[in-house]
Amino acid sequence: MKNANKDALIFLPLAANGKPQHLGSEKAGCPFCDYAEKENILRSEQNMFWVRNKYQTLQDTFQTIIIESNDHNGDITTYSKEENRRLFHFAFDCWEQMKNDPQFESVLFYKNHGPLSGGSLKHPHMQIVGLTEFDGESQIDAENFAGITVLSENSVTINFSTKPVMGFLEINILVDKKAPEAINDLADYVKKTVNYILNNYHHGRCESYNFFLFEEEGKYIVKLTPRFIVSPYFVGYRLSQNFSEEHLLVLRDDFRENLLGE
């Protein structure tokens, strides 16, 4: 197996020809609002679709998309609790199916939201990508999921990374996968955390985020990261940055107040 620390995913420019770019403009219409490419549908439930990405832009991968809703302007924060839980159960089922496929060395599950998140479409969606040659998580360590505890109750722990992958703020939500309500709990806390990032964090000036989902040592883990322009220290040197412990503690108190106040 190749190690992603030494090898890079290969982008295929020709495969990207014609790929819609809607975050900056809605001129061409949105292909996800009324999804019509039945030949690419892998699974569907109500208004949620798991589809083969029409633009397979990465070599040695199988790229798929979860279309979350037919609401073009929707997001986790606007879904009801029940809608968001259904979405997470649907996405988890698709993720598990990919992980159980022996052709993949690893399967990445993540979400882009907003103009600085690395996505190209505004319509709410997640991505599940099977890698046939790479261990895509080879550069992630257990220490990246540890940090200053924000909340710990029942089967759920939330912390701020003190060893972030990139920085500055990385919020880890860890749930015991054997807990009866594991996926529901994860869905609920992701919804609360996204709401905090988009409406409270950085005085409400953050409009982009990513989350990345992992399964490690009996836990489901979401790493949720507010997105701004990437630091040149990370781009040029792979040097992540973090806030001081004092500032993380101030953020922790503010975030905890929002969590418990909902």
Side-chain angles (χ1 to χ4, degrees), residues 15-27:
N17 286 346
K19 184 177 180 180
Q21 302 282 332
H22 291 160
L23 280 175
S25 172
E26 301 296 334
K27 294 179 181 178

Side-chain angles (χ1 to χ4, degrees), residues 233-250:
Y233 289 101
F234 190 80
V235 174
Y237 308 102
R238 290 192 182 179
L239 289 174
S240 59
Q241 294 184 76
N242 203 353
F243 293 121
S244 68
E245 182 175 350
E246 290 77 13
H247 188 62
L248 285 176
L249 291 174
V250 171

Side-chain angles (χ1 to χ4, degrees), residues 137-146 163 165 214 216 221 223:
E137 299 178 8
S138 65
Q139 297 188 73
I140 305 300
D141 297 316
E143 67 179 9
N144 299 129
F145 303 124
K163 297 288 186 180
V165 177
F214 304 85
E216 300 285 343
I221 306 173
K223 179 176 282 290

Side-chain angles (χ1 to χ4, degrees), residues 99-167:
K99 288 193 296 182
N100 291 331
D101 190 326
Q103 71 175 301
F104 301 122
E105 295 289 352
S106 61
V107 178
L108 310 181
F109 178 9
Y110 66 96
K111 176 176 172 64
N112 305 318
H113 173 90
L116 297 179
S117 67
S120 56
L121 287 173
K122 179 180 179 181
H123 194 111
H125 64 284
M126 304 174 180
Q127 302 200 43
I128 303 176
V129 181
L131 281 62
T132 60
E133 300 294 331
F134 285 105
D135 175 4
E137 299 178 8
S138 65
Q139 297 188 73
I140 305 300
D141 297 316
E143 67 179 9
N144 299 129
F145 303 124
I148 294 174
T149 300
V150 175
L151 177 145
S152 181
E153 60 179 22
N154 301 323
S155 61
V156 180
T157 299
I158 301 177
N159 65 53
F160 291 161
S161 287
T162 48
K163 297 288 186 180
V165 177
M166 182 181 74

Side-chain angles (χ1 to χ4, degrees), residues 40-51:
N40 288 324
I41 296 175
L42 302 171
R43 184 172 181 170
S44 63
E45 182 179 315
Q46 297 183 10
N47 60 355
M48 299 175 291
F49 293 90
W50 182 31
V51 303

Side-chain angles (χ1 to χ4, degrees), residues 155-196:
S155 61
V156 180
T157 299
I158 301 177
N159 65 53
F160 291 161
S161 287
T162 48
K163 297 288 186 180
V165 177
M166 182 181 74
F168 286 81
L169 179 66
E170 295 180 6
I171 303 172
N172 300 312
I173 306 171
L174 302 89
V175 178
D176 183 349
K177 62 175 293 187
K178 293 183 180 179
E181 297 293 313
I183 297 177
N184 286 345
D185 288 340
L186 195 66
D188 292 349
Y189 278 106
V190 167
K191 180 177 174 68
K192 291 178 180 181
T193 304
V194 170
N195 186 67
Y196 172 76

Side-chain angles (χ1 to χ4, degrees), residues 32 48-51 64-69 87 90-91 94-95 109 124-128:
F32 289 172
M48 299 175 291
F49 293 90
W50 182 31
V51 303
T64 71
I65 295 168
I66 301 284
I67 301 174
E68 300 176 15
S69 164
L87 169 63
F90 178 77
C94 300
W95 183 41
F109 178 9
H125 64 284
M126 304 174 180
Q127 302 200 43
I128 303 176

Side-chain angles (χ1 to χ4, degrees), residues 191-210:
K191 180 177 174 68
K192 291 178 180 181
T193 304
V194 170
N195 186 67
Y196 172 76
I197 286 174
L198 296 181
N199 295 295
N200 299 92
Y201 177 65
H202 200 56
H203 307 290
R205 294 197 292 268
C206 179
E207 58 180 345
S208 302
Y209 69 86
N210 291 114

